[in-house]
């Protein structure tokens, strides 16, 4: 099913899970609150797939759009989360 996800599916289904994992790892390993200190969180997380999906100011997509995330990107996303 993930192969057919578009930006809306990614935002509604995966973003909450990624944010939850990211927030927990930032809190546990860096003592940073994702929503209260987004600049500090961004400095730790960097500009990768995790930040592009989980950043607090990310707006919902305006339409369904194209496919959201190729398989290689899922691997990079998981690697970024594990590295935190």
């Amino acid at each position: 099913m993930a192969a057919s996800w578009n930006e809306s599916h990614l935002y509604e289904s995966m973003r909450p899970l990624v944010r939850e994992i990211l927030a927990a790892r930032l809190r546990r390993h860096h003592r940073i609150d994702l929503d209260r200190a987004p600049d500090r969180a961004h400095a730790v997380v960097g500009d990768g797939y995790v930040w592009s999906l989980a950043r607090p100011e990310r707006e919902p997509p305006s339409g369904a759009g194209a496919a959201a995330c190729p398989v290689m990107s899922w691997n990079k996303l998981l690697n970024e989360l594990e590295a935190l």
Side-chain angles (χ1 to χ4, degrees):
M1 178 175 167
S4 65
W5 283 9
N6 59 35
E7 285 292 329
S8 292
H9 291 125
L10 183 66
Y11 186 88
E12 294 168 9
S13 299
M14 286 302 296
R15 183 173 187 266
L17 178 61
V18 170
R19 279 185 56 83
E20 183 178 336
I21 294 167
L22 176 60
R25 293 187 72 86
L26 284 170
R27 202 172 33 252
R28 178 177 293 134
H29 299 288
H30 304 281
R31 296 180 182 230
I32 297 173
D33 184 291
L34 175 60
D35 292 315
R36 292 183 184 188
D39 292 336
R40 287 181 58 212
H42 186 198
V44 170
V45 176
D47 289 324
Y49 290 103
V50 170
W51 187 254
S52 70
L53 180 59
R55 61 190 167 83
E57 76 279 3
R58 181 178 174 145
E59 295 290 328
S62 58
C69 199
V71 172
M72 284 184 63
S73 298
W74 290 112
N75 291 334
K76 287 182 180 182
L77 183 119
L78 292 173
N79 290 337
E80 288 176 19
L81 284 171
E82 288 175 350
L84 295 170

